[in-house]
Amino acid sequence: RKRAIDVTANLIRFRIEYGWPIRLDSKPLETALRSGIHWVLPYRDLRGRRIIVYNASVLAARYLTIPVAELQQVMGLLLEKLSTDPLT
């Protein structure tokens, strides 16, 4: 329990320090979400976990138009959403 509290406090501290919202929202990240850089595959690995692909080749082509911070927030948003899936 203490570890979970520490991790959450560090996450909040990080988001405040770097100007990220505490709760990530898909609306301001729509361009990055639709860029094709991140994929959530429709199937799972052998342990039943969801698989996220980070397609760096798309990043190379679009890095000037999408801020890196937005791409990092998209990954955070995907991980948050997938962690709420009871089957994940």
Side-chain angles (χ1 to χ4, degrees):
R1 181 174 156 96
K2 168 121 174 51
R3 174 82 174 124
I5 291 170
D6 290 344
V7 168
T8 302
N10 286 336
L11 175 65
I12 291 169
R13 216 176 351 266
F14 171 86
R15 289 189 177 176
I16 289 170
E17 182 177 340
Y18 289 96
W20 290 23
I22 300 300
R23 296 196 64 146
L24 296 173
D25 180 21
S26 62
K27 286 285 184 204
L29 301 172
E30 190 167 347
T31 299
L33 277 167
R34 296 183 183 280
S35 68
I37 293 171
H38 301 89
W39 309 338
V40 178
L41 297 181
Y43 48 86
R44 299 169 185 269
D45 71 6
L46 295 175
R47 292 184 173 179
R49 298 172 296 196
R50 299 299 300 267
I51 301 168
I52 298 175
V53 174
Y54 186 84
N55 186 355
S57 67
V58 175
L59 176 63
R62 298 177 184 240
Y63 76 97
L64 291 176
T65 61
I66 302 172
V68 172
E70 283 187 27
L71 298 174
Q72 292 170 332
Q73 288 179 31
V74 166
M75 182 60 84
L77 180 65
L78 290 174
L79 292 171
E80 286 178 10
K81 296 298 183 188
L82 292 176
S83 70
T84 63
D85 179 352
L87 299 176
T88 301

